[in-house]
Amino acid sequence: RALDVALARAADSEVPTLFWGPGGTGRGRCARRLHTLRHPKGPYRMVDAVALTPEDLSEGALALLQGGSLCLHRLENLSPQLLPELLGAMDSPLAQGVRWMGTCSSPLAVAEQLRLRLGVLSLQTPSLANRKEDLLVLFRSLLQVEARQSGRATPALERAAERQLLARDWPGELRELTWLARRTLESV
């Protein structure tokens, strides 16, 4: 909930944003949510840093993203050889029309030059173990999405199932919770 409030506040600004936290905590979903709040009709692109190429940073690619957002996912995996090209692209005139975002496990895992540019606004996505108050809401939401996609009614959760959900530490984070929502729907 606190993160959602922070995203709503961040939507009023156009500053580069860095989402950080353990893998599977929803960093990419948060980036997409912020983009939707800022520019609901603008283009959006997420590129995994390990797959980032010079073509992704070309003038043509940046021209397609004008008025929208580019999220560089898992920046700790960025090739050091590509860093100068990325920084150059971020300084180009076309880059001014793109809202830059990034995700990483820890801000310290990102090259300082890039961290200083993308981390103007830094938002942590906490692990599910630290978000017990959100767990049932998240699970019900995921269950509802899965049910809608399969054309089924959303099943109700029994109190015993709720207690079991709250008792787990969720080392697989949102991926594990999503998997469980699918399995729950299959077993009903």
Side-chain angles (χ1 to χ4, degrees):
R1 291 178 185 159
L3 184 58
D4 202 43
V5 170
L7 288 171
R9 271 192 245 131
D12 292 334
S13 74
E14 296 291 333
V15 298
T17 308
L18 184 64
F19 296 95
W20 63 277
T25 56
R27 300 171 305 193
R29 289 178 190 224
C30 287
R32 180 64 186 213
R33 172 89 171 125
L34 181 58
H35 164 75
T36 301
L37 290 169
R38 285 179 173 170
H39 307 285
K41 295 183 180 182
Y44 177 80
R45 182 149 189 241
M46 179 181 280
V47 179
D48 196 309
V50 76
L52 189 67
T53 66
E55 290 78 32
D56 295 319
L57 304 171
S58 69
E59 286 186 4
L62 293 178
L64 292 173
L65 287 170
Q66 293 300 296
S69 305
L70 175 60
C71 180
L72 303 171
H73 192 45
R74 295 190 272 236
L75 284 168
E76 61 271 18
N77 298 326
L78 180 69
S79 164
Q81 291 78 20
L82 198 56
L83 181 61
E85 193 152 351
L86 174 57
L87 295 173
M90 292 177 83
D91 287 337
S92 74
L94 279 173
Q96 304 311 308
V98 176
R99 301 303 154 241
W100 294 81
M101 293 186 271
T103 73
C104 61
S105 57
S106 165
L108 298 176
V110 178
E112 183 178 15
Q113 297 162 301
L114 189 55
R115 183 177 67 241
L116 293 174
R117 290 179 190 213
L118 283 176
V120 173
L121 179 60
S122 181
L123 298 173
Q124 182 181 12
T125 55
S127 68
L128 287 178
N130 296 324
R131 297 167 46 188
K132 293 292 185 176
E133 70 278 2
D134 294 335
L135 193 60
L136 294 178
V137 174
L138 282 169
F139 185 74
R140 285 187 185 110
S141 175
L142 292 168
L143 193 58
Q144 186 177 31
V145 167
E146 292 295 326
R148 189 178 316 125
Q149 287 176 352
S150 65
R152 299 178 63 189
T154 305
L157 286 178
E158 296 177 5
R159 292 278 182 214
E162 289 178 346
R163 284 191 294 275
Q164 287 178 332
L165 288 170
L166 292 170
R168 285 187 56 90
D169 286 334
W170 300 102
E173 301 292 346
L174 287 175
R175 288 184 196 104
E176 184 179 0
L177 197 63
T178 302
W179 175 85
L180 184 61
R182 284 187 194 123
R183 296 289 302 171
T184 299
L185 194 60
E186 291 170 4
S187 67
V188 175

